[in-house]
Amino acid sequence: MGKIPNGILGTVIGSTGNVTAYMLNGENVTRVKARKITHFSIKQLANQQGMLVVNEFFRFMGDFLKVGFDLAAKGTTKNYHNIATSYNKKNALKGEYPNIEIDYQKVMLSMGDLLEAQNPLTEIVSGGLKFSWDLPGANSQAGQDQAMILAYGTISKQVQSILYGSKRIEGEAILQLSSKMQKEPVETYISFISADRQSVSNSIYTGRIEPIS
C-alpha cells in the first residue's frame, strides 16, 4: 500500500497497483512494475544476457566503479552502478546471443572530464605490473592527480586495484598481483582522480598482459 506521509501534495512512498514510489538521491521516483513474461524474444534474451555479462564482470569492482562514476551520477536520478552498467552494456559488449561477451578494449571504468592518462603503458615487473604514463607540463595543475589502476583476471575473475595511487607527476605506479593472477592473462586499465576528489578522468585500456609465471 502506498503512503503519503506529508499530505496529498507530499512525497509518495510504497506501492499502489502496479506503480511503486520511492526516494532516490533526494527525489521522489515512481516506476511501473514490469509485467511477467513467460516467452522471451531473441532480442529480450540478448538484453538479459548482456546485463548478466556486465554484472559478472563488475562483481568485484564495486569500490573502483563508485569512485569512477559517482561524480557522473551527481544531479541525476541514477547511481554510479546504473551509469557504469548502462554505458558498458551499450558500448563494451560483443557477439550475438547466446555468445555475448565483454569487449575489454571498449570497457570504461571511470567517466569524467579530467585529463586522461597520456600514452599509458603497462608492463610486467616482479610480482605484478608497472603502469607508466607521460608526465604533465611543468606548470600543469594536473601533477597532483592520483592514478587509479586496475587489473582483471580473465580466468579467475579476480580484481586487483589501487584507487588513490601515485601522483601523475611521478609517472608510474606499481600494482602487486596475487599468485593466481600472475598465472593468467589480465586486462588492465588506468584513470586519474584529482587531489580534491572533485574530478575524474575517463579510464584508458592499457592492454592484455599474458601470464607472468
Side-chain angles (χ1 to χ4, degrees):
M1 178 178 67
K3 296 182 180 180
I4 309 177
N6 299 314
I8 191 66
L9 299 179
T11 300
V12 180
I13 299 175
S15 297
T16 301
N18 67 337
V19 177
T20 298
Y22 56 94
M23 297 300 295
L24 178 63
N25 295 337
E27 294 189 25
N28 196 198
V29 178
T30 59
R31 296 191 185 280
V32 177
K33 295 178 182 178
R35 292 181 299 169
K36 186 175 182 179
I37 300 174
T38 55
H39 299 287
F40 297 99
S41 67
I42 293 297
K43 184 176 181 180
Q44 290 171 321
L45 290 170
N47 181 63
Q48 292 171 15
Q49 186 183 35
M51 182 67 74
L52 288 172
V53 168
V54 170
N55 284 336
E56 177 67 17
F57 178 64
F58 283 165
R59 180 191 286 185
F60 301 113
M61 299 185 189
D63 291 341
F64 200 97
L65 294 176
K66 181 172 176 56
V67 174
F69 286 91
D70 216 27
L71 292 171
K74 284 190 174 181
T76 76
T77 58
K78 298 180 179 180
N79 61 41
Y80 72 91
H81 197 273
N82 296 149
I83 295 178
T85 300
S86 177
Y87 177 89
N88 286 281
K89 184 170 174 286
K90 181 178 180 180
N91 297 284
L93 293 176
K94 61 182 180 180
E96 302 293 332
Y97 177 83
N99 300 308
I100 296 172
E101 57 186 359
I102 291 289
D103 188 340
Y104 297 111
Q105 297 184 50
K106 296 181 180 178
V107 163
M108 186 172 288
L109 299 180
S110 65
M111 181 183 292
D113 56 10
L114 194 66
L115 179 67
E116 297 175 352
Q118 303 295 294
N119 298 315
L121 176 68
T122 304
E123 56 189 313
I124 296 171
V125 295
S126 178
L129 303 171
K130 181 174 80 171
F131 292 73
S132 58
W133 55 86
D134 288 353
L135 298 179
N139 298 319
S140 173
Q141 296 297 313
Q144 299 305 303
D145 298 340
Q146 289 178 271
M148 297 171 56
I149 53 179
L150 181 143
Y152 172 81
T154 58
I155 299 174
S156 68
K157 313 302 181 186
Q158 287 187 357
V159 173
Q160 303 232 208
S161 64
I162 296 177
L163 290 178
Y164 308 111
S166 301
K167 293 181 179 180
R168 195 191 295 257
I169 194 66
E170 295 177 48
E172 64 179 47
I174 302 297
L175 178 65
Q176 297 296 321
L177 297 181
S178 67
S179 58
K180 180 176 290 186
M181 289 183 69
Q182 291 180 41
K183 298 175 182 177
E184 65 180 318
V186 296
E187 305 290 350
T188 61
Y189 302 86
I190 183 172
S191 54
F192 280 94
I193 186 168
S194 62
D196 62 6
R197 309 294 185 252
Q198 297 304 301
S199 298
V200 67
S201 75
N202 289 341
S203 65
I204 299 292
Y205 174 68
T206 50
R208 168 176 285 215
I209 304 298
E210 294 302 327
I212 296 174
S213 57

